[in-house]
Every structure is written in C-alpha cells, then in structure tokens.
Amino acid sequence: MAGENKILAEKILNQLGGAGNIASYTHCMTRLRVTPHDESIVSKDEIKKIDGVIGVVEEETLQIILGPGKVNKVTEE
C-alpha cells in the first residue's frame, strides 16, 4: 500500500498549497500536524473530501486526522 500512501500524501500536499507553503510538520498517533506559511491558500474543505482523511481540526496547527498506523506512513511520503 506504499503507492496508496504516496497518492494520499500528494493529494494532501496539493491542497496545502504545495511543499513551499509548509513551514513545519509532524505527526502524532493519528494526526498529521501542519503549520503552513500562508493559510489563505490551504483548501481545508477539499482536504476533508480526500478519501483517507478522517477529519481536519484547526488549533495551534492544522491537524489532518488519518488514523493510527496510516499517519506515519503518509508523513514519510
């Protein structure tokens, strides 16, 4: 399923405005935590529609919920 994780990572990155818009990122057990440079170009509604994304939470970072086991594989991609 490595190809599936790479595709999911690419879809998420595209909706985040591309690699150049990522100031920092990390992950926990279930969430990819992203700090974009420019939040105005992030398509949060489109991220929520991506198959494989369970949800999106906006707190100190943009948190994209992917689920346990999947988040670390997608983050690596």
Side-chain angles (χ1 to χ4, degrees):
M1 296 293 162
E4 178 182 310
N5 293 322
K6 183 176 176 96
I7 291 168
L8 179 55
E10 289 171 351
K11 287 179 179 179
I12 291 170
L13 188 59
N14 187 41
Q15 296 306 322
L16 288 168
N21 194 39
I22 305 303
S24 65
Y25 67 94
T26 188
H27 71 279
C28 66
M29 285 294 290
T30 61
R31 298 176 184 197
L32 171 61
R33 298 170 186 263
V34 179
T35 302
H37 289 291
D38 182 356
E39 282 200 41
S40 70
I41 63 172
V42 174
S43 301
K44 295 173 193 129
D45 289 336
E46 292 301 314
I47 293 171
K48 292 175 188 176
K49 294 177 186 176
I50 297 172
D51 189 34
V53 172
I54 297 168
V56 175
V57 176
E58 295 177 69
E59 288 184 1
E60 71 280 353
T61 59
L62 183 64
Q63 301 174 23
I64 303 165
I65 306 167
L66 301 172
K70 187 159 203 69
V71 68
N72 49 340
K73 294 174 185 161
V74 172
T75 301
E76 286 174 16
E77 293 294 344

